[in-house]
Amino acid sequence: MSPVSTAGAHLSGGLILVVEDDPLILEFLCEILQEEGFAVEPQVSADAASQFLEQHAPEVGLLLTDITMPGKLNGADLANQFGDRWPDKPIMIMSGFETPKSSGVKHPVSFIRKPWAVGQLLDCVQSALHPSRPL
């Protein structure tokens, strides 16, 4: 991995919608991604993210969501809605408890198990954005 990433250059103006109910993890995720040149939109719940998508879906280049969250929707529900409506956009899921399969996600996704290392997270983001390109 090179010390200076060009990851953000590959996003083509899209942004990463980051959905995590733990405010410290959400802030950390956003800092990591912004340092790599990505534009991010933090949301503290799947419900809030779903509302954001109603108005801003064209701007979103990647959905990055935790599975387990309070509220009407969890991350699996959000991933399914996102995949149903925007099937060409990538989805990345993280969880320390469930897997996309065990939580009912029905779309292809990139998955990272918590706790993750920063390098693992960035590799997974790159893989989600460019599935056919080797790391």
Side-chain angles (χ1 to χ4, degrees), residues 116-132:
W116 37 258
V118 171
Q120 291 172 311
L121 175 77
L122 295 174
D123 286 348
C124 195
V125 167
Q126 284 293 1
S127 177
L129 289 170
H130 308 285
S132 60

Side-chain angles (χ1 to χ4, degrees), residues 47-106:
D47 298 327
S50 180
Q51 290 178 345
F52 175 83
L53 285 166
E54 288 303 318
Q55 306 242 334
H56 302 282
E59 302 159 33
V60 175
L62 170 68
L63 170 64
L64 168 54
T65 185
D66 190 12
I67 293 176
T68 306
M69 281 185 268
K72 183 179 164 202
L73 300 175
N74 65 24
D77 299 326
L78 180 65
N80 285 333
Q81 283 184 1
F82 188 80
D84 287 347
R85 293 186 67 187
W86 302 284
D88 295 336
K89 294 189 180 205
I91 301 168
M92 181 174 155
I93 292 182
M94 58 189 169
S95 179
F97 305 106
E98 297 188 66
T99 66
K101 185 176 182 177
S102 72
S103 64
V105 175
K106 59 185 180 182

Side-chain angles (χ1 to χ4, degrees), residues 15-83:
L15 70 104
I16 299 177
L17 177 57
V18 183
V19 189
E20 167 62 58
D21 62 311
D22 182 315
L24 293 176
I25 295 173
L26 180 62
E27 183 179 348
F28 185 56
L29 276 165
C30 290
E31 281 180 22
I32 292 166
L33 294 168
Q34 287 173 320
E35 285 176 8
E36 290 296 313
F38 292 106
V40 299
E41 171 62 32
Q43 294 290 332
V44 296
S45 72
D47 298 327
S50 180
Q51 290 178 345
F52 175 83
L53 285 166
E54 288 303 318
Q55 306 242 334
H56 302 282
E59 302 159 33
V60 175
L62 170 68
L63 170 64
L64 168 54
T65 185
D66 190 12
I67 293 176
T68 306
M69 281 185 268
K72 183 179 164 202
L73 300 175
N74 65 24
D77 299 326
L78 180 65
N80 285 333
Q81 283 184 1
F82 188 80

